[in-house]
Amino acid sequence: MLSIKNIHANVEGKEILKGINLEIKAGEVHAIMGPNGSGKSTLASVLAGREQYEVTAGEVSFLDKNLLELSPEDRAREGLFLAFQYPVEIPGVSTTNFIKAAVNEKRKYHGLEPLDSVSFLKIMKEKMKLVEIDQSLLSRSINEGFSGGEKKRNEIFQMAMLEPKLAILDETDSGLDIDALRIVANGINKLHSPERAVLVITHYQRLLDYIQPDYVHVLYNGRIVKSGTKELALELEEKGYDFITEGVDLNA
Amino acid sequence: MKENQDPLEQAVSNDYKYGFVTDIDTDTIAKGLNEDVIRLISHKKNEPEWMLEWRLKAYAYWLTMVEPEWANIKYPTIDYQDIIYYAAPKPKKQLNSLDEVDPELLSTFEKLGISLSEQKRLSGVAVDVVMDSVSIATSFKEQLAEIGVIFCSISEAIQLHPELVKKHLGSIVPMTDNYFAALNSAVFTDGSFCYIPKGVRCPMELSTYFRINTENAGQFERTLIVAEDESYVSYLEGCTAPMRDENQLHAAVVELIAMEKAEIKYSTVQNWYPGDKEGKGGIYNFVTKRGICKGDHSKISWTQVETGSAITWKYPSVILKGDYSIGEFYSVAFTNNHQQADTGTKMTHLGKNTRSRIVAKGISAGHSQNSYRGLVRASKQAINARNYSQCDSLLLGDKCGAHTFPYIEVKNKTAIVEHEATTSKIGEDQLFYCRQRGIDPEAAVALIVNGFAKEVMNQLPMEFAIEAQKLLTISMEGSVG
Ligand SMILES: Nc1ncnc2c1ncn2[C@@H]1O[C@H](COP(=O)(O)OP(=O)(O)OP(=O)(O)O)[C@@H](O)[C@H]1O
Ligand SMILES: [Mg+2]
């Protein structure tokens, strides 16, 4: 589904990603861990098509398309979803209207009629139950004045509404209380199916307890320096990153 | 990545969609202004003597005045001798129904998306269409007449209801009020007249579409709305003008009178030709709009969505004379390319316990300049007067400007005047968030702008709100990419 080959990327002239390779197949759950500033969010931004991030080398294919040639909106319409580490506030735009616009833009791209208000609200009600989000939150301006946890939950709600092929979750578990964590994990598990894949970026084992990744990768200084199964996450939790990063040549 | 162009820039630069000229045989008076031209206008309109005298008086006064220079706008000097003051499409014969209207004209309205027949049938809106100077067709007049509502062109009113016109014309905006009002008083050629008798709630929205068509024809409409005790009326005014290279002058006067417990809601959607991307051409829109809440517990509400004109100079105002009267002003002004807008309101509190509310939203893109200018005045007698003003500006890009000039004059201690102002920009991170959800930059800007303008849009009658929202979206097209 997603194939990343030797990606290098710069931000403001500084190289942050230094040759990333990653294969994600339909139905798989991958986790990326790694110390602060190692390039995890940068990787997510590059995949989503953020323009400040300049790809200097490498290739990415997504569902057999050259991902790097697509505009950010077309990537989204093709089924790539990014739950942001820091979701932005958009005053004046109601969350419901925003999601409706997003859903209908995607439908238009795939040659489908826009959903009318009745069918849209019906789907919305279902998904609201799934992520236990309150109606009152959805009638407010998007993310404006939302608590940290509410913002994250709203990201998962949007994911549930858009039903992406590949969901990238950038630290969606950070700042969540125990109940919210369970709800978010539940949302991810409900979405997960043989046709869909998930890439979670996290610092904590606790999310992985709920969602059971097939693979865990450690990103360090712009490279994936170790990949393994979910046991790797447990090992990291126990020993920290030192046991991996020791001996990695920073200049290579 | 390849897309290095500023996405905001692209989404706000597109072509004016209403730029076409209707090819109709037009009856015009040669360019220029003097007493004879005014006599000729009055004669062509078959006006009574008192009307001609009124015009000549206004003209004599206008000659003694100088054009104002105080607004935050710049434009080349207007040559008043280079303007056509009278242009009437020549109807082939007297019209009895819409079917007899020139098909060219009907197709013009169709291009504007206001097919009269459709509107008549579907929405029950009574439309008085003003094309250049003369009213072409007035619909629903008979139904309105049954309940005593008079809705006709001002020319017709001068013929059929001279006592009403004589009594109220110029009573709120005197001919001496300002330069453009004096000019209008001398040369106005058409406009609308509404009279709502005591106790009548006008059952439909009254609507006028103004359209400037003849090249170099200035448009000077005059609108007068009188709402007697305990009556209600909602009036809609919509405007478009075809594309022209030469600037065209538009100087209208609107007067509203609300008697005891009467309510007048006046909504405007204005999308006259704003000029091209380099700032060439476009309408100069110098309008005087004023209403008086004459009776106790009366209410006047102005709502405007302004997306057109090269220059807009307009301050719909309310004189709150009756005790407990209410004045409202809701405005969205969108400027793009080289447009300049200087708009706002004046709320003059004279009566006791009067209230006013101002919500002004300015959106600037391209190289445009958007100013809010407002005056809230409370006299000594205006015990317990209250005003709340809110002015928000949204900037699209960094070459445009937003300015706020709130003036406050309070002469008694019981009055409370509150003013809030904000300025914001659409951030790159907000755009990216939208794009990541599959919403392209243009749609994203439209979503954000419409969200910004919502509070004002909500004041418009339903059908009009949808049209205004479309208009806002069209005006913005190309300002992102
Ligand atoms: N827009 C930017 N401008 C300048 N530097 C940037 C920008 N974005 C990222 N960086 C730098 O790139 C490096 C990687 O940042 P990134 O956000 O990808 O780290 P991360 O692995 O997600 O860290 P965290 O775990 O703290 O979220 C950091 O040194 C960061 O300062
Ligand atoms: Mg990060």
Side-chain angles (χ1 to χ4, degrees):
Chain A
M1 163 172 298
L2 183 77
S3 166
I4 304 175
K5 291 207 175 82
N6 189 34
I7 279 293
H8 289 251
N10 289 354
V11 183
E12 300 187 347
K14 186 175 161 233
E15 183 163 72
I16 309 289
L17 301 184
K18 302 173 181 174
I20 302 253
N21 292 290
L22 185 63
E23 287 286 332
I24 298 180
K25 295 200 178 64
E28 291 178 349
V29 177
H30 289 239
I32 292 185
M33 303 182 85
N36 294 131
S38 57
K40 304 182 297 295
S41 295
T42 302
L43 176 62
S45 295
V46 165
L47 293 176
R50 194 153 195 152
E51 274 146 21
Q52 296 101 308
Y53 296 80
E54 188 198 356
V55 176
T56 52
E59 287 166 28
V60 183
S61 83
F62 175 57
L63 298 168
D64 303 321
K65 289 201 169 69
N66 181 349
L67 186 75
L68 301 180
E69 275 188 348
L70 298 177
S71 66
E73 52 273 24
D74 281 349
R75 296 179 195 203
R77 294 161 183 168
E78 287 287 345
L80 186 145
F81 180 89
L82 170 61
F84 288 83
Q85 185 173 3
Y86 305 108
V88 299
E89 304 188 353
I90 309 180
V93 179
S94 91
T95 308
T96 306
N97 281 351
F98 177 80
I99 297 176
K100 193 173 175 197
V103 167
N104 283 333
E105 288 288 345
K106 185 171 176 180
R107 291 179 65 89
K108 193 163 87 190
Y109 183 79
H110 292 283
L112 298 169
E113 288 292 307
L115 284 180
D116 60 54
S117 295
V118 177
S119 3
F120 176 77
L121 286 176
K122 192 164 159 269
I123 298 172
M124 205 170 93
K125 285 260 147 59
E126 275 167 36
K127 306 288 181 180
M128 274 164 59
K129 242 181 262 156
L130 185 71
V131 297
E132 298 177 34
I133 199 165
D134 206 64
Q135 175 72 56
S136 64
L137 206 61
L138 300 179
S139 49
R140 277 163 57 184
S141 292
I142 193 145
N143 293 324
E144 196 181 34
F146 286 21
S147 76
E150 284 168 342
K151 283 182 183 170
K152 296 297 172 79
R153 211 184 284 202
N154 184 25
E155 294 291 288
I156 295 301
F157 177 65
Q158 292 179 46
M159 179 186 81
M161 288 299 294
L162 289 164
E163 303 190 316
K165 296 268 166 41
L166 172 67
I168 303 168
L169 308 165
D170 192 356
E171 297 199 25
T172 304
D173 55 335
S174 301
L176 293 183
D177 62 36
I178 305 288
D179 286 342
L181 184 71
R182 180 184 46 76
I183 291 162
V184 164
N186 197 23
I188 297 169
N189 286 335
K190 283 266 167 53
L191 176 85
H192 184 217
S193 75
E195 307 85 60
R196 301 178 204 282
V198 182
L199 175 61
V200 293
I201 296 170
T202 182
H203 287 290
Y204 307 106
Q205 168 59 34
R206 51 175 206 172
L207 176 68
L208 304 181
D209 286 341
Y210 289 103
I211 62 169
Q212 305 286 337
D214 300 298
Y215 300 95
V216 174
H217 312 275
V218 177
L219 186 63
Y220 179 64
N221 190 36
R223 281 194 199 88
I224 291 179
V225 293
K226 196 169 174 75
S227 295
T229 54
K230 59 179 189 284
E231 284 70 33
L232 178 58
L234 288 169
E235 202 173 30
L236 286 170
E237 184 101 328
E238 206 177 298
K239 301 183 185 162
Y241 289 111
D242 284 356
F243 89 102
I244 296 172
T245 57
E246 262 165 33
V248 174
D249 183 354
L250 290 182
N251 300 312
Chain B
M1 306 264 88
K2 281 158 283 159
E3 299 172 359
N4 277 333
Q5 216 162 344
D6 183 350
L8 272 173
E9 292 263 305
Q10 281 184 6
V12 207
S13 59
N14 89 320
D15 300 323
Y16 187 66
K17 291 201 173 149
Y18 301 111
F20 46 82
V21 178
T22 307
D23 192 10
I24 294 180
D25 197 6
T26 309
D27 175 18
T28 53
I29 294 177
K31 279 182 190 172
L33 185 56
N34 53 46
E35 268 200 20
D36 289 342
V37 168
I38 291 165
R39 284 178 197 282
L40 198 55
I41 291 172
S42 191
H43 176 74
K44 280 205 182 258
K45 302 180 79 63
N46 195 24
E47 286 178 352
E49 190 59 27
W50 61 268
M51 196 66 246
L52 173 63
E53 271 162 29
W54 199 79
R55 287 177 182 278
L56 290 172
K57 215 169 122 192
Y59 176 66
Y61 192 80
W62 180 73
L63 287 175
T64 68
M65 300 176 90
V66 275
E67 212 174 322
E69 261 180 58
W70 52 277
N72 196 30
I73 50 179
K74 294 183 194 75
Y75 57 93
T77 320
I78 298 169
D79 180 357
Y80 292 92
Q81 295 307 330
D82 198 35
I83 292 172
I84 296 168
Y85 288 87
Y86 182 85
K90 271 189 206 148
K92 299 201 170 64
K93 57 178 180 335
Q94 194 66 40
L95 304 175
N96 295 316
S97 82
L98 265 184
D99 308 335
E100 297 173 30
V101 171
D102 192 325
E104 271 275 351
L105 189 60
L106 287 181
S107 89
T108 300
F109 291 122
E110 238 130 272
K111 274 185 230 169
L112 291 171
I114 36 155
S115 115
L116 274 180
S117 40
E118 275 294 286
Q119 284 222 6
K120 264 178 87 170
R121 203 159 45 78
L122 295 176
S123 54
V125 173
V127 183
D128 175 30
V129 179
V130 174
M131 169 109 162
D132 286 346
S133 312
V134 171
S135 179
I136 302 295
T138 302
S139 47
F140 280 88
K141 219 184 313 188
E142 282 146 38
Q143 274 138 290
L144 291 171
E146 271 168 34
I147 51 168
V149 171
I150 303 169
F151 178 44
C152 61
S153 70
I154 193 97
S155 317
E156 221 176 319
I158 292 167
Q159 306 291 337
L160 302 176
H161 310 282
E163 66 301 333
L164 283 175
V165 177
K166 221 170 169 173
K167 180 173 171 197
H168 297 290
L169 191 74
S171 67
I172 314 305
V173 180
M175 56 173 72
T176 53
D177 191 79
N178 67 68
Y179 190 79
F180 299 108
L183 179 63
N184 175 287
S185 302
V187 302
F188 76 90
T189 41
D190 222 325
S192 293
F193 176 75
C194 308
Y195 178 82
I196 320 296
K198 187 172 172 187
V200 171
R201 234 192 117 79
C202 188
M204 57 185 94
E205 317 272 354
L206 302 182
S207 160
T208 306
Y209 273 89
F210 290 112
R211 185 165 158 76
I212 300 177
N213 195 60
T214 309
E215 207 160 357
N216 292 334
Q219 179 132 1
F220 305 91
E221 322 92 19
R222 186 95 200 183
T223 295
L224 176 60
I225 300 178
V226 182
E228 295 286 9
D229 293 355
E230 289 163 45
S231 67
Y232 168 85
V233 65
S234 168
Y235 182 87
L236 319 177
E237 171 202 287
C239 327
T240 53
M243 197 179 305
R244 290 290 180 200
D245 269 351
E246 310 262 321
N247 292 300
Q248 283 176 297
L249 176 64
H250 177 89
V253 172
V254 176
E255 296 174 285
L256 311 182
I257 301 164
M259 305 305 282
E260 201 175 308
K261 292 188 183 140
E263 179 176 349
I264 302 174
K265 212 173 140 59
Y266 192 105
S267 314
T268 307
V269 172
Q270 186 264 116
N271 67 329
W272 277 323
Y273 182 51
D276 67 11
K277 288 180 187 103
E278 277 69 51
K280 201 165 162 263
I283 302 285
Y284 292 172
N285 188 24
F286 301 128
V287 179
T288 308
K289 288 185 166 173
R290 192 174 304 151
I292 184 165
C293 285
K294 217 168 187 172
D296 295 350
H297 298 278
S298 56
K299 179 175 175 182
I300 288 179
S301 184
W302 297 103
T303 303
Q304 57 174 31
V305 176
E306 305 274 325
T307 66
S309 297
I311 293 173
T312 300
W313 180 92
K314 171 177 175 190
Y315 315 91
S317 306
V318 184
I319 299 166
L320 296 144
K321 187 157 177 276
D323 293 345
Y324 296 94
S325 60
I326 298 174
E328 291 177 335
F329 174 73
Y330 295 94
S331 167
V332 171
F334 177 84
T335 53
N336 198 356
N337 298 321
H338 291 266
Q339 277 177 279
Q340 303 173 61
D342 196 296
T343 180
T345 186
K346 263 191 251 173
M347 294 290 174
T348 306
H349 293 256
L350 302 175
K352 296 187 194 71
N353 299 301
T354 47
R355 281 185 287 143
S356 63
R357 183 180 169 81
I358 298 169
V359 178
K361 306 265 181 181
I363 303 153
S364 338
H367 293 266
S368 68
Q369 295 296 327
N370 203 325
S371 305
Y372 167 80
R373 190 182 301 276
L375 169 63
V376 176
R377 191 186 273 153
S379 73
K380 262 199 199 107
Q381 295 77 37
I383 308 294
N384 290 325
R386 296 275 181 280
N387 163 267
Y388 173 74
S389 305
Q390 186 191 324
C391 302
D392 299 319
S393 308
L394 182 66
L395 301 172
L396 310 184
D398 48 18
K399 291 175 206 82
C400 48
H403 317 273
T404 307
F405 305 98
Y407 305 97
I408 296 169
E409 284 172 24
V410 175
K411 300 227 171 70
N412 83 70
K413 290 201 183 83
T414 60
I416 298 177
V417 174
E418 287 175 84
H419 179 87
E420 284 178 32
T422 65
T423 300
S424 52
K425 272 188 149 185
I426 297 184
E428 188 278 330
D429 51 344
Q430 289 175 326
L431 270 188
F432 184 70
Y433 189 84
C434 295
R435 298 181 77 180
Q436 209 303 303
R437 298 299 186 253
I439 302 168
D440 63 48
E442 214 161 87
V445 170
L447 204 62
I448 294 170
V449 167
N450 280 319
F452 176 78
K454 195 163 54 188
E455 197 180 342
V456 173
M457 296 297 202
N458 286 346
Q459 297 297 322
L460 291 172
M462 190 62 165
E463 325 84 287
F464 224 37
I466 293 164
E467 191 176 316
Q469 198 171 24
K470 270 195 223 146
L471 196 64
L472 204 54
T473 308
I474 289 173
S475 312
M476 278 180 326
E477 268 172 26
S479 56
V480 182

